[in-house]
Amino acid sequence: MSGALVGVDLGGTLIRAAVATGATTHGPLVRHPTPATGGPEAVLDAVAAAVREATGGETPGGVAIGIPGPLDPATGMVYTAPNLAGWHDVAAGGMLRERVGSDIAVQNDARLAGFAEWTAGAGRGTRHFIFMTASTGIGGGLVIGGELHAGTAGTAGELGHMIADPNGPGCTQGHRGCLEGIASGTGMVHRARLLLEGGATSSLSAVPADGLDARAIEDHANAGDALARQLFDDAGRALGLAIGGLINELSPEVVAIGGGLSQAGDLLFAPLLAAVPDMAFAVPLSRCRIVPAQLGTDAGMVGAIAWAGRCFGPPPTAASPP
Ligand SMILES: [Zn+2]
């Protein structure tokens, strides 16, 4: 009998691992701090320890791991991981296979969150589905024709890096005018600082520099501060225009928006939904629902569990004819 399937969510601060108990359910979570400055060997040692703890020392039947960076799921090569020191062209799949003794499926963390939403959340039952996550950065996952779309290099789904405003601020990758520069938490904080330094009047000017984050902007927007509201209006509008373009390109059945910024509710969704029709064609828009994601911070783990099942589980039983 083959061993248990294991899902792992590797974050910049925390490693979470659990054994699959069903297609999208898992046993108790094992949590280990990520030795983020220790380099790939140290991080993958810690991942292997978390996997062993989750299985009680048994060799797993397969492990799926979500990693925060662009990578190639076909080869297990992680091109880079901005939150993990020294991760450049790391053969994470092979290195982890040596450590745990089973097959490894490496996948981008946002792609797995999207796969989770498609399997068990806002995109359930669809064939064409877009997941966009807006938090410190912007990422996503594309399900096209019932398959998680990887593209030639394996990196497809980087929805944060398309032009929102050619004259807009740079993103974390140095692209001028990226969606991420306007509509991510990092981008909104950066814009808030520039506006405050430029003398803008806002209750945010009373917030200590190290307390100025997306949550503070949300709180001040809810309290009626015009600048904080403008930042959310701009972020929501940029996301809505980008989603409108994606609807034109892919004609999905559902677009789900997750990540920490989506918790702001109407502050983000009202300008977002108002902007979509400015870009989307009427017919594909009429066949598409734009909704909040459903799985919250659980999406990464659920996605890893579901992906382990997809990669290493028993083949799905043939559906009985209608
Ligand atoms: Zn960019």
Side-chain angles (χ1 to χ4, degrees):
M1 179 180 152
S2 59
L5 301 183
V6 177
V8 179
D9 180 38
L10 169 59
T13 56
L14 202 61
I15 297 162
R16 301 186 299 164
V19 167
T21 55
T24 58
T25 57
H26 57 79
L29 277 180
V30 171
R31 290 183 176 82
H32 284 230
T34 305
T37 59
E41 304 267 349
V43 170
L44 292 171
D45 284 348
V47 168
V51 169
R52 276 192 296 274
E53 194 177 324
T55 63
E58 300 286 320
T59 301
V63 176
I65 178 169
I67 294 179
L71 53 79
D72 186 355
T75 61
M77 175 68 73
V78 178
Y79 299 121
T80 181
N83 298 326
L84 301 171
W87 280 62
H88 300 289
D89 295 335
V90 175
M95 291 169 70
L96 198 52
R97 187 180 306 118
E98 285 173 13
R99 285 163 169 78
V100 303
S102 71
D103 284 340
I104 309 293
V106 171
Q107 190 47 278
N108 172 270
D109 59 349
R111 247 60 95 215
L112 285 189
F115 190 71
E117 291 287 345
W118 179 67
T119 308
R124 202 171 45 229
T126 65
R127 296 227 351 116
H128 309 296
F129 171 65
I130 296 173
F131 171 71
M132 184 179 272
T133 175
S135 55
T136 53
I138 292 178
L142 304 171
V143 174
I144 300 175
E147 295 289 341
L148 188 60
H149 183 64
T152 305
T155 58
E158 289 292 343
L159 304 185
H161 301 279
M162 52 178 140
I163 286 294
D165 172 3
N167 299 310
C171 73
T172 54
Q173 303 303 308
H175 314 137
R176 173 161 287 280
C178 256
L179 183 60
E180 194 169 272
I182 294 175
S184 68
T186 309
M188 290 170 71
V189 168
H190 179 66
R191 290 192 70 213
R193 290 213 171 99
L194 291 178
L195 291 165
L196 292 172
E197 285 165 10
T201 304
S202 165
S203 58
L204 287 169
S205 58
V207 177
D210 62 353
L212 184 55
D213 57 14
R215 174 53 65 85
I217 297 171
E218 180 185 338
D219 290 344
H220 284 248
N222 281 323
D225 182 68
L227 184 137
R229 289 197 77 93
Q230 188 65 50
L231 290 168
F232 267 98
D233 282 350
D234 293 348
R237 180 166 175 78
L239 288 169
L241 293 174
I243 288 166
L246 288 166
I247 288 170
N248 294 343
E249 287 145 19
L250 299 172
S251 187
E253 191 175 340
V254 170
V255 178
I257 298 115
L261 282 185
S262 71
Q263 304 295 315
D266 278 352
L267 267 184
L268 189 76
F269 276 87
L272 186 159
L273 293 173
V276 173
D278 291 351
M279 182 62 78
F281 290 119
V283 170
L285 178 57
S286 73
R287 302 276 297 273
C288 179
R289 289 183 291 123
I290 302 166
V291 298
Q294 294 179 354
L295 301 178
T297 54
D298 224 22
M301 257 327 286
V302 172
I305 293 291
W307 194 242
R310 168 64 74 97
C311 296
F312 306 119
T317 50
S320 47

